[in-house]
């Protein structure tokens, strides 16, 4: 069985031609899959009966099954828990921003990177998601919300479970599908890939002509090399200095900035000295970067704590006083199993164990 959402536009055309159908069938199928978001091949009414039958026999149309969802009473964000074909589970979070909706997608079951503060990585990497499993998070949530203008998801952030650049090919294909004018038609400017800073993969992405140009976020999480190597073991080999050098050199479209994410952890990296070191790190090219401060989301048995609000505000102020664009990301839906991966863990305990 082939899942059609594993195919980018070129591959879909190739598939159609190999079946002996005319090329324009690819455009029709793409419209049904990504625009109409149909649940079955039978709904593809402008295809001949023969084509529909062949598709039904040989292809799959959905890779996710909704297990449960929770809506935050605080900010209306919704967390979805899906079951994959092999029984693994993943999460997607819909975030209601002031004027738009953002979907936070997962790219792996688990993660191999091993950041000390992160719940997703506790059991290591289980597997990469297929392209269709990434794209279907968007298709299913948009279908769940309905297609009205006010419910339209305009932004996608690759900040759910997993390290997107460690699942390079499937993530790349999902971005191709999200941005293709005959597929999801989302704006390149409104898609952000967040990475822990795997240097060779970031370089590869910028050199890859087939990788649609989308925004980059990097999880910095520290103000010096020792601290970063402690919090993010990947920094032992992909050092802060090399990372900053790379981020200063990559080409950016006019008006685009790189987001630096900084998880603020109480008494670990949240001091005024940290803020000042961060200023020093960024002062040479302030306009290249913006900083997102994310107060740590505690979870059962986590080694770390969230800093008090005044500490977070003081950190932010030092950055703003030095003209560094800084935004605090108070985590959405703190009441719905806040940190990434938590809903999944909760369900695992209930279902599988
Ligand atoms: N692997 C990618 C994307 C997924 S993690 C990356 O690391 O960038 C998305 C963001 O969530 C990262 O910036 C990470 O530092 C942050 N994060 C992970 N665990 C967290 C927690 N418990 N509280 C707050 N932020 C967390
Ligand atoms: Fe993986 Fe990102 Fe979590 Fe680090 S923060 S373990 S890279 S998901």
């Amino acid at each position: 069985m082939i899942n059609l959402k594993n195919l980018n536009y070129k591959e879909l055309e190739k598939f159609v031609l190999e079946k002996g159908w005319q090329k324009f069938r690819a455009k029709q199928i793409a419209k049904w899959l990504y625009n109409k978001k149909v649940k079955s091949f039978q709904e593809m009414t402008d295809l001949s009966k023969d084509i529909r039958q062949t598709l039904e026999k040989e292809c799959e149309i959905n890779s996710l099954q909704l297990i449960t969802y929770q809506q935050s009473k605080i900010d209306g964000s919704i967390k979805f828990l899906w079951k994959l074909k092999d029984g693994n589970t993943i999460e997607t979070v819909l975030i209601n921003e002031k004027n738009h909706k953002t979907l936070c997608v997962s790219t792996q079951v688990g993660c191999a990177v091993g950041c000390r503060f992160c719940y997703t990585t506790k059991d290591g990497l289980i597997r990469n998601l297929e392209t269709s499993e990434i794209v279907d998070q968007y298709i299913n949530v948009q279908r769940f919300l309905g297609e009205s203008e006010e419910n339209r998801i305009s932004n996608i952030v690759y900040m759910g479970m997993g390290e997107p650049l460690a699942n390079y090919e499937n993530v790349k294909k999902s971005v191709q599908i999200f941005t293709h004018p005959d597929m999801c038609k989302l704006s390149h400017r409104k898609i952000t890939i967040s990475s822990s800073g795997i240097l060779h993969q970031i370089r590869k992405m910028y050199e890859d002509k087939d990788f649609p140009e989308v925004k980059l976020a990097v999880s910095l999480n520290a103000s010096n090399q020792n601290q970063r190597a402690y919090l993010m073991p990947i920094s032992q080999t992909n050092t802060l200095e090399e990372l900053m050098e790379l981020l200063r050199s990559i080409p950016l479209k006019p008006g685009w900035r790189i987001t630096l994410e900084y998880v603020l952890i109480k008494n670990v990296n949240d001091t005024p000295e940290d803020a000042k070191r961060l200023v020093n790190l960024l002062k040479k090219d302030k306009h290249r970067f913006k900083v997102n401060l994310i107060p740590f989301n505690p979870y059962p048995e986590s080694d770390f704590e969230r800093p008090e609000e005044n500490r977070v505000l003081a950190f932010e102020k030092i950055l703003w006083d030095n003209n560094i664009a800084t935004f605090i990301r108070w985590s959405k839906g703190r009441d719905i199993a806040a940190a990434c991966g938590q809903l999944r863990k909760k369900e695992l305990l209930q279902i599988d164990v």
Side-chain angles (χ1 to χ4, degrees):
M1 282 285 214
I2 169 166
N3 189 315
L4 292 182
K5 291 188 196 122
N6 282 330
L7 309 181
N8 63 20
Y9 200 76
K10 263 195 197 148
E11 291 168 335
L12 185 60
E13 278 186 336
K14 190 164 166 258
F15 169 82
V16 160
L17 290 173
E18 276 171 6
K19 286 268 170 265
W21 305 331
Q22 284 168 289
K23 203 169 163 183
F24 74 93
R25 296 294 184 197
K27 198 167 178 166
Q28 289 180 314
I29 293 173
K31 175 195 73 184
W32 289 112
L33 290 177
Y34 302 110
N35 187 329
K36 305 279 185 212
K37 304 181 181 66
V38 295
K39 284 184 186 160
S40 74
F41 294 109
Q42 286 315 321
E43 293 169 69
M44 301 183 169
T45 46
D46 55 5
L47 302 180
S48 69
K49 224 176 171 179
D50 276 0
I51 294 184
R52 273 185 272 162
Q53 249 162 19
T54 306
L55 290 174
E56 196 153 86
K57 244 195 324 212
E58 297 179 16
C59 304
E60 278 173 347
I61 200 163
N62 188 19
S63 57
L64 305 177
Q65 190 194 331
L66 182 62
I67 299 180
T68 183
Y69 66 93
Q70 291 180 348
Q71 181 158 32
S72 163
K73 290 186 186 71
I74 301 173
D75 56 36
S77 59
I78 308 178
K79 195 163 206 165
F80 298 86
L81 180 74
W82 315 100
K83 192 170 190 160
L84 310 175
K85 258 198 326 202
D86 60 4
N88 278 308
T89 54
I90 54 158
E91 289 179 7
T92 310
V93 181
L94 177 78
I95 304 159
N96 288 317
E97 316 264 14
K98 258 196 211 107
N99 305 312
H100 64 268
K101 292 193 189 296
T102 298
L103 196 70
C104 176
V105 296
S106 294
T107 55
Q108 297 182 310
V109 183
C111 180
V113 177
C115 302
R116 264 179 205 264
F117 49 82
C118 178
Y119 206 69
T120 301
T121 194
K122 294 285 175 221
D123 297 332
L125 174 67
I126 298 169
R127 73 167 171 88
N128 282 335
L129 293 191
E130 300 272 315
T131 303
S132 55
E133 291 165 336
I134 301 171
V135 173
D136 267 332
Q137 295 174 57
Y138 161 75
I139 298 288
N140 282 284
V141 173
Q142 187 66 80
R143 205 194 279 134
F144 175 94
L145 294 172
E147 292 282 353
S148 69
E149 193 49 35
E150 57 173 39
N151 280 333
R152 211 167 52 83
I153 299 165
S154 54
N155 295 54
I156 305 246
V157 292
Y158 286 74
M159 292 181 188
M161 296 160 54
E163 165 54 47
L165 295 185
N167 183 11
Y168 186 90
E169 289 303 329
N170 294 345
V171 164
K172 170 176 156 183
K173 232 192 256 189
S174 69
V175 180
Q176 290 171 336
I177 292 173
F178 284 142
T179 54
H180 196 283
D182 290 317
M183 294 174 128
C184 297
K185 291 191 230 178
L186 295 170
S187 161
H188 292 234
R189 288 185 295 120
K190 296 186 175 174
I191 297 181
T192 303
I193 293 188
S194 173
S195 171
S196 55
I198 309 176
L199 300 175
H200 71 276
Q201 294 294 77
I202 296 177
R203 268 187 220 111
K204 182 172 162 187
M205 181 170 100
Y206 278 91
E207 283 162 10
D208 187 342
K209 286 192 295 298
D210 294 330
F211 205 119
E213 242 180 297
V214 291
K215 293 197 168 163
L216 176 68
V218 172
S219 298
L220 200 65
N221 296 338
S223 63
N224 66 36
Q225 167 61 16
N226 276 349
Q227 196 181 49
R228 192 162 192 268
Y230 165 73
L231 290 172
M232 306 178 71
I234 188 164
S235 198
Q236 288 160 13
T237 46
N238 295 251
T239 65
L240 181 59
E241 198 183 335
E242 290 168 307
L243 174 65
M244 292 312 298
E245 201 181 302
L246 174 63
L247 297 184
R248 287 189 187 111
S249 71
I250 53 183
L252 290 181
K253 284 188 175 225
W256 283 30
R257 282 187 290 191
I258 297 171
T259 301
L260 298 173
E261 295 160 280
Y262 193 106
V263 179
L264 276 170
I265 306 174
K266 185 172 176 175
N267 299 331
V268 174
N269 62 0
D270 67 336
T271 64
E273 290 69 39
D274 282 302
K276 285 175 205 155
R277 271 200 298 267
L278 192 54
V279 168
N280 269 328
L281 206 58
L282 306 182
K283 69 176 176 209
K284 262 200 269 169
D285 23 29
K286 290 176 185 167
H287 302 297
R288 216 165 222 271
F289 302 110
K290 70 173 186 162
V291 174
N292 276 354
L293 298 174
I294 317 171
F296 175 71
N297 266 319
Y299 48 85
E301 290 162 46
S302 59
D303 299 334
F304 301 117
E305 290 172 62
R306 172 192 286 255
E308 279 85 37
E309 190 170 327
N310 60 2
R311 189 85 161 183
V312 176
L313 295 174
F315 198 99
E316 182 199 25
K317 184 170 186 307
I318 294 173
L319 293 175
W320 271 120
D321 286 348
N322 288 279
N323 298 316
I324 292 171
T326 308
F327 305 90
I328 303 175
R329 300 291 175 197
W330 298 109
S331 45
K332 305 284 175 176
R334 253 173 285 172
D335 53 333
I336 53 167
C340 179
Q342 280 190 37
L343 184 60
R344 174 173 168 262
K345 280 285 166 81
K346 225 170 92 187
E347 276 307 310
L348 280 182
L349 292 176
Q350 286 167 8
I351 295 171
D352 293 347
V353 182

